[in-house]
Structure formats: C-alpha cells, structure tokens
Amino acid sequence: MGFATKAIHAGQAPEATTGAVTIPIYQTSTYVQEALGRHKGYEYARTQNPTRAALEANLAELEGGIAAHCFASGMAAITTTMLLLGSGDHVIVSENTYGGTYRLFERVMSGFGLRFSYVDTTDVEAVRAAFTPETRMIFLEVPTNPLMAVADLEAIGRLAAETGVRLAVDNTFLSPYFLRPLEYGAHLVIHSTTKYLNGHSDSIGGAVISARADDAERLGFLQNAAGAIISPMDAWLVLRGIKTLSVRMERHEKNARCVAQFLTEHPKVRRVHYPGLPQHPQHERARDLFSGFGGMISFETGSLAAARALLDNVRLCALAESLGGVETLICHPASMTHASVPSEQRDRLGITDGLVRISVGIEDVEDIIADLDAALQKV
Ligand SMILES: *Cc1c(COP(=O)(O)O)cnc(C)c1O
C-alpha cells in the first residue's frame, strides 16, 4: 500500500460496536473488569487507551517501525527517550538542535549524569571524532533547526551499526512523508506531532517510533512508568491531521520552493537556507535522502533592526513560534525558539540577530509572497 493509503487507514479499522469509520475519542480513565483478573486487555488509561493505540499503530506503519509510543509533547517524547540511558552515558547531538532539546539536555539531563557533545553532523568524521568509550546514542535533527543543515544520515547510520550505538533522529521537520530515518539505520524516530503530523496548530503531542524490540518494550514500560502520555483528544486530532499529511506536505513544499526562490532574488535578503536550493551546501545529499525538501526556510536579513522591520510589518504571515501548520508562521529564532541557547553559541552557529525563520503554509503562494514583499519594503 502507498503512503497516502496507509496514512488514512493504518491502525484504524472501523469501530466494532457501531461501525463508526472514525476511531472514537475514548475519554475514560479506567475500564470495568469482568471478574478478578479477567478483563478485555484494558485496565487503566495511562497504561492503555484505544485512541492512543490507533495513533501509535498508524505512526509505526508510516515510519516503518515495529512500534510507536505517543507522549504529551515532543519534549515529553525526547525526555522519555533519554530515560533509555543512564548516568555516565554520553550522547552526540546535532549542533544546532531545537532550543528546547538543548535546554532539556543541558539544564535537566546533565543533572542526572548524562553528558552531551554538540557536533557538526553534516560531517561523519566530526561524529566519529566525538566518540568516547561512554557514547551510547547519536541524536540527530534532520534538517537542523533553524539553519537547515542536512546531516550525513547514511554514513552516520553505518557508523551507528559499526559501533552498536543507538541512532535517534528527530524527524519533525520533514515528517515520514519526505524522510523515513529507519531506512537509513536509525533505531528511534522522534516527532513533535504538534507540527506537520497534526498540521493544524491545535494540539500538542509527541511520538517515538522504535525499530528494535528491546527499545519498544522499554519505551512502553517508561511511557506507563513516567506517565507523560498524550491525551485521547490530542491523539484523535493527530490521527485526523495525518489523513491529509500527504496532500499538505506536497503543498507546503511547492509553496516553500516558490518562497525560497523569491527570497533568493530579493535585494534585502542576504542569504537563504533551504535544502531545495541548488546553492544549499548539502543540496545533493538532501536530494538523495529526502523525497521532498519540506516547508521550512530561514533567511538572513542582516541585522536585528531589519528583522524587526520585517516581522513588525507582515500581515498574513503570523509572528509565532511553532511550525508545520496550514497557516504561514514567521519567527525570530535568536529571541524566540532559540533564546535558551547562550548568545556566544548562537553566534558561532550562525543563529544571528538578523535571521528569520518561516514555516510556509498552504495558502495561495502569491498571497504569502505579496505579504513578504510588502514587509521587506519596510526594511
Ligand atoms: C517543536 C519541536 C520539538 C518540541 O516539541 P513540542 O511538541 O513543542 O514539545 C522538538 N523538536 C523539534 C524539531 C521541534 O520543532
């Protein structure tokens, strides 16, 4: 079956009692038991919920994993993934990772004895050089947020296999429609379902998809033991969002290509970061790894004043954190999504005060471009 068919049907057989074609929102905390020790496989809703189970079955199928576990947010998914590790373990991380991930690793997980090295994962040799005897995981974001660097996923997948170290990939930016990291040797795929999977800016959630039985079993245990589960309502919203994932991603990408081209040609824009542009440093690699380049673009306006003038003057593009919704969102990474990254580190990475990030929505692209063009006149 093709991707779009699986997106609509996997994990979602019509409901047995009534034949409802849509999986119900099982809004319950517990399940009645027939007799002591006899029940239908459902005991308590932190442990099992049919709406959540449908979403998990669907995501496992879309990413090509053996199981998925869903969480209250992308950060809860990443936190629970880190609970697979123990004190003293070392993790190699993509250097311009999501600000919330950086904050979790440096200000929470390091207090429990985990250690992190941030490296340029576009270069497999930099990853190899960062290995220590305690390295237990490589954590990639593909492409990185907000500079759209494309990790050498294929070579890092082979390195993970050679060394027996787990490879986890945050696939939030591309969704399984454009990239399936397990095909390149990743063991775990992470999503903030808040973004493209839900796609309508009306839910917060996260997921981890496993390739290995031992990880799947442990994550199931941790999901119940630590308890950061997605709610039935959010699970249902994400299931509904995923039904249109393939058509939305096609349109996000088509619009993003046009917007990236427009920005490239605009005299007020110094540099555009989009893996779909031939001048992107990892364009060839992105073309090999991805079946599309996604809807995320960042670009350099040159200064905080220029970025501010642009952001103060957009009308259609909404000034907001987050991404992956049907509406175009625009933000200032240095003061918004990446404010928790120290300023010296932001400078070193190129997350400058003039950098603007745009999550291109699925509106008419002429309207998005007209809005950006009018706001850029004010720069
Ligand atoms: C948003 C995001 C997260 C965190 O997800 P939440 O649902 O906001 O907790 C993690 N990784 C990436 C790449 C993100 O964009």
Side-chain angles (χ1 to χ4, degrees), residues 73-76 78 98 101 141 145 170 172-173 192-195 204-205 323:
S73 66
M75 291 321 304
I78 297 173
Y98 178 71
T101 302
E141 227 173 87
N145 181 2
D170 183 336
T172 299
F173 267 35
S192 166
T193 62
T194 312
K195 314 297 169 52
I204 296 270
L323 59 109

Side-chain angles (χ1 to χ4, degrees), residues 23-45:
I23 184 95
I25 303 167
Y26 285 89
Q27 193 70 43
T28 187
S29 62
T30 192
Y31 309 88
V32 69
Q33 307 197 2
E34 291 146 49
L36 205 56
R38 207 164 60 185
H39 54 74
K40 298 182 160 67
Y42 296 93
E43 296 149 279
Y44 184 61

